[in-house]
Amino acid sequence: MVRFEDVAAQYGRGPEVLTGLTFELAPGSFHFLTGPSGAGKSTLLRLLYLALRPIRGTIELFERDVARIARRELPALRRRIGVVFQDFRLIGHLSTLDNVALPLRVAGAKEGQVRNHVAELLAWVGLADHLEDLPSTLSGGQQQRVAIARAVIGRPSLLLADEPTGNVDDRIAMRLMYLFEELNKMGTTVLIATHNDGLVARFPHPQLHLEDGRLYRVPGRPRAAKVRANG
Ligand SMILES: Nc1ncnc2c1ncn2[C@@H]1O[C@H](COP(=O)(O)OP(=O)(O)OP(=O)(O)O)[C@@H](O)[C@H]1O
Ligand SMILES: [Mg+2]
């Protein structure tokens, strides 16, 4: 699904913010991307989303060498990726419903199905009463949930989420994590950047940990065995 080989990244003529990154994400895997503020989590996601080109190394995405992909091919590739940006990037003049419907409409879904499907997902993330609201009238946590709904609505092959629970309380954070896990069970490869150690500790998923520009793998834990009720 994703393969990095000795990748380095830099902004302009600044220092290298990521160096010698080598890792793979297997199809259908679920990873946390951890590390202190400024460690390069958002930068790594930008590389994956093809918003930033590496200065060295090879990135493969969906079995394609990203460096060899023509600009005109990017939109089709990006449609397979759902992204929750750290700063949400909602479209200001579109309602909650229309923001979330966008990926479905771009993909040519039938309008009759779009509304129901979107409304159902928005109800699940607790926004049933805000379907017609503009982003500017929503709280930070509500905007974040709109951004998440928009990223998952099209069941992308790859979901990249940058600090997706940074603005919501614990109860909603768990609900959103459940949404990501459901998507993952349906086959989506998931990568979630967060510095919420508490959240990470509650799930068994492996981590890619960034520190001082380098990447460390932290293996996942086995899922706790279910206790059987009758022997
Ligand atoms: N657009 C930019 N131009 C120049 N430098 C940048 C830019 N974006 C990020 N950086 C630098 O790259 C490094 C990594 O930043 P990045 O945003 O990837 O960190 P992060 O792990 O996502 O942090 P946070 O947890 O605070 O979101 C930082 O030193 C930052 O200053
Ligand atoms: Mg960041």
Side-chain angles (χ1 to χ4, degrees):
M1 175 66 54
V2 168
R3 199 173 70 81
F4 274 47
E5 178 90 44
D6 202 23
V7 168
Q10 176 183 39
Y11 292 97
R13 287 160 184 256
E16 282 187 19
V17 288
L18 297 172
T19 302
L21 258 56
T22 298
F23 69 92
E24 287 180 27
L25 298 181
S29 60
F30 193 129
H31 287 82
F32 286 113
L33 177 58
T34 58
S37 180
K41 301 182 294 297
S42 297
T43 303
L44 175 49
L45 295 183
R46 261 173 226 137
L47 290 169
L48 272 171
Y49 186 59
L50 315 178
L52 180 69
R53 298 245 173 189
I55 55 163
R56 277 199 309 281
T58 310
I59 299 180
E60 271 177 34
L61 193 59
F62 308 130
E63 266 91 60
R64 303 279 307 274
D65 180 348
V66 164
R68 289 170 205 287
I69 287 173
R71 216 164 250 286
R72 65 185 151 74
E73 287 188 81
L74 287 184
L77 213 63
R78 285 197 178 128
R79 275 201 286 280
R80 300 177 63 186
I81 310 175
V83 190
V84 183
F85 295 98
Q86 197 163 10
D87 54 359
F88 317 141
R89 301 202 201 164
L90 301 175
I91 297 175
H93 65 275
L94 294 183
S95 69
T96 293
L97 190 127
D98 287 337
N99 262 284
V100 177
L102 204 60
L104 296 180
R105 288 180 177 146
V106 167
K110 291 207 180 70
E111 194 51 38
Q113 290 158 12
V114 168
R115 227 194 128 83
N116 287 343
H117 188 31
V118 170
E120 192 183 339
L121 178 59
L122 283 168
W124 167 258
V125 298
L127 293 176
D129 296 336
H130 299 277
L131 298 188
E132 300 305 331
D133 294 359
L134 290 177
S136 58
T137 67
L138 299 174
S139 75
Q142 289 169 336
Q143 290 182 40
Q144 187 157 46
R145 282 177 273 159
V146 178
I148 289 170
R150 182 180 61 182
V152 305
I153 191 85
R155 285 204 201 165
S157 310
L158 176 64
L159 178 78
L160 308 172
D162 202 348
E163 209 69 59
T165 60
N167 293 267
V168 297
D169 60 49
D170 254 18
R171 190 184 57 85
I172 292 177
M174 290 305 284
R175 208 174 167 84
L176 295 173
M177 281 300 299
Y178 182 77
L179 187 63
F180 298 142
E181 296 218 300
E182 285 304 301
L183 194 70
N184 178 243
K185 279 183 202 150
M186 293 189 292
T188 297
T189 305
V190 176
L191 181 61
I192 296 183
T194 180
H195 38 54
N196 184 342
D197 294 335
L199 191 75
V200 172
R202 281 153 98 164
F203 293 88
H205 308 301
Q207 297 170 41
L208 301 176
H209 183 80
L210 284 172
E211 193 130 8
D212 302 323
R214 302 215 161 251
L215 186 83
Y216 306 86
R217 264 185 182 278
V218 182
R221 302 185 307 272
R223 289 234 176 224
K226 291 230 168 69
V227 180
R228 285 168 63 174
N230 45 9

